[in-house]
Amino acid sequence: MSSNENLLYSLIRSKTILNLNSKLLFGLINILVNGLIIRYVNLNIIGIANIRLKLYYTTILFISRESLRYNIPYLNNIGSIYHYINLI
């Protein structure tokens, strides 16, 4: 192997290790913060926030999908339909 390939492999290895370490660190932070939220926040507040987030999520999905469903029947080119179907 040449020195360029060794350098490339060492860079890939170091970036992979950094990526795995950061994923592990953020996973542990996520578990810690979730535990603190569940322990110190009232369950009624968590339920209200969950309902609101679910409502926002379903509204965004409905608006984005409905525009595609409305416009697909008016497409003339059959090839362009497949691009829209992959989005849905």
Side-chain angles (χ1 to χ4, degrees):
M1 282 196 220
S2 68
S3 63
N4 288 337
E5 289 178 356
N6 288 335
L7 179 64
L8 180 64
Y9 289 140
S10 67
L11 286 174
I12 291 172
R13 190 177 321 118
S14 66
K15 295 298 180 183
T16 303
I17 291 171
L18 178 66
N19 187 15
L20 291 175
N21 288 338
S22 64
K23 281 187 178 185
L24 180 65
L25 177 68
F26 286 124
L28 291 174
I29 291 171
N30 189 13
I31 290 170
L32 180 68
V33 169
N34 284 339
L36 290 173
I37 287 172
I38 289 175
R39 182 173 176 99
Y40 293 112
V41 175
N42 190 358
L43 291 179
N44 292 332
I45 295 173
I46 292 174
I48 291 170
N50 188 19
I51 290 171
R52 287 184 179 173
L53 289 174
K54 182 71 173 175
L55 179 63
Y56 292 149
Y57 173 74
T58 54
T59 304
I60 289 169
L61 279 178
F62 175 77
I63 291 171
S64 64
R65 288 180 178 171
E66 191 62 27
S67 64
L68 293 174
R69 289 183 186 140
Y70 179 75
N71 288 322
I72 284 176
Y74 297 110
L75 295 175
N76 295 329
N77 187 1
I78 193 72
S80 62
I81 293 175
Y82 295 118
H83 297 293
Y84 285 105
I85 291 173
N86 288 332
L87 291 175
I88 295 175

